[in-house]
Amino acid sequence: SQQGEEDPQALSIQEGENATMNCSYKTSINNLQWYRQNSGRGLVHLILIRSNEREKHSGRLRVTLDTSKKSSSLLITASRAADTASYFCATDAGNSGYALNFGKGTSLLVTP
Amino acid sequence: KAGVTQTPRYLIKTRGQQVTLSCSPISGHRSVSWYQQTPGQGLQFLFEYFSETQRNKGNFPGRFSGRQFSNSRSEMNVSTLELGDSALYLCASRPGTVGNQPQHFGDGTRLSIL
């Protein structure tokens, strides 16, 4: 079942601009992860943020987590054409075994 | 280290047939998960295996099954294929010994049902 919901569904920006994607979820989580998927390929892990963390950085990526609002955001600064891809948030509820619940993703287009 | 390898990359089957997909995880990873990706339903969890045992299962009919071998390689099987089974099937691995680990995905098997 889908737990995360990304917003917007699609985003088109120019190179050099910042891109912000949001994710909301429904139940308590152990951690939240962001993944990127290029067309026809598998998912690439970007960042994992634990439920007790509020912000995390990795290169041009910044992720925030607000567990009180059950929401997260992914900021990509100084976007490049190579950032064109679909971005998914995924939540891990920490149940026995391991299952990620994915949102439907944000499709990002970065034009030169 | 080699990444997660899925074979075959593309597969075409007809309704009623069965299919087996294969996944080789990253060396040392003991947890393997399978996901189905479709335009309508998005990414949905199928099942997860750890040390040859199914630890978790998603909400899919019994036609979908899997197994894991002692070398951590995994297979999933879909019997009596239906048109709605057309999808990208993704395999992911992680060490699996503790929580808060990211998944490493393969490039998937694109299954088309005619």
Side-chain angles (χ1 to χ4, degrees):
Chain A
S1 63
Q2 301 289 333
Q3 157 138 260
E5 292 288 338
E6 286 92 343
D7 170 58
Q9 289 188 336
L11 183 59
S12 181
I13 60 174
Q14 292 190 312
E15 271 191 326
E17 293 181 335
N18 295 340
T20 300
M21 289 158 259
N22 302 296
C23 167
S24 60
Y25 57 92
K26 297 173 184 173
T27 62
S28 61
I29 60 171
N30 195 40
N31 65 61
L32 186 144
Q33 303 175 38
W34 285 90
Y35 289 83
R36 183 188 76 227
Q37 184 178 35
N38 291 89
S39 181
R41 303 296 300 273
L43 280 76
V44 174
H45 179 261
L46 297 175
I47 286 186
L48 181 153
I49 186 166
R50 293 176 170 79
S51 59
N52 61 354
E53 297 176 312
R54 291 297 167 259
E55 189 171 312
K56 208 160 183 181
H57 297 253
S58 178
R60 295 183 295 112
L61 307 180
R62 172 177 168 254
V63 167
T64 62
L65 178 64
D66 187 335
T67 53
S68 67
K69 295 181 179 178
K70 293 187 170 56
S71 67
S72 174
S73 68
L74 169 67
L75 169 67
I76 304 174
T77 60
S79 296
R80 306 166 182 167
D83 294 328
T84 294
S86 292
Y87 291 81
F88 297 88
C89 69
T91 53
D92 165 22
N95 299 325
S96 61
Y98 192 78
L100 288 178
N101 289 306
F102 284 90
K104 291 210 170 181
T106 292
S107 179
L108 174 65
L109 174 63
V110 183
T111 54
Chain B
K1 266 184 179 178
V4 176
T5 303
Q6 291 189 245
T7 56
R9 285 296 313 276
Y10 303 94
L11 207 47
I12 298 175
K13 292 285 186 179
T14 57
R15 281 181 297 174
Q17 288 186 311
Q18 75 165 16
V19 67
T20 299
L21 312 181
S22 179
C23 172
S24 293
I26 291 173
S27 177
H29 287 192
R30 293 162 62 188
S31 167
V32 174
S33 298
W34 289 88
Y35 293 84
Q36 180 196 65
Q37 186 177 27
T38 59
Q41 298 299 316
L43 280 149
Q44 294 189 291
F45 171 76
L46 281 157
F47 26 66
E48 186 235 358
Y49 288 87
F50 179 82
S51 293
E52 302 179 68
T53 300
Q54 187 181 86
R55 286 202 301 195
N56 207 348
K57 188 177 189 303
N59 189 25
F60 277 82
R63 299 186 297 108
F64 292 81
S65 62
R67 59 177 175 169
Q68 187 180 34
F69 302 95
S70 58
N71 62 358
S72 293
R73 191 177 69 85
S74 177
E75 290 181 346
M76 68 164 282
N77 183 276
V78 188
S79 62
T80 319
L81 287 164
E82 300 177 358
L83 292 177
D85 297 334
S86 293
L88 179 65
Y89 289 89
L90 294 163
C91 167
S93 76
R94 66 187 195 113
T97 51
V98 295
N100 292 321
Q101 296 169 339
Q103 295 273 32
H104 300 265
F105 283 82
D107 280 337
T109 294
R110 173 77 61 185
L111 176 63
S112 299
I113 311 302
L114 303 179

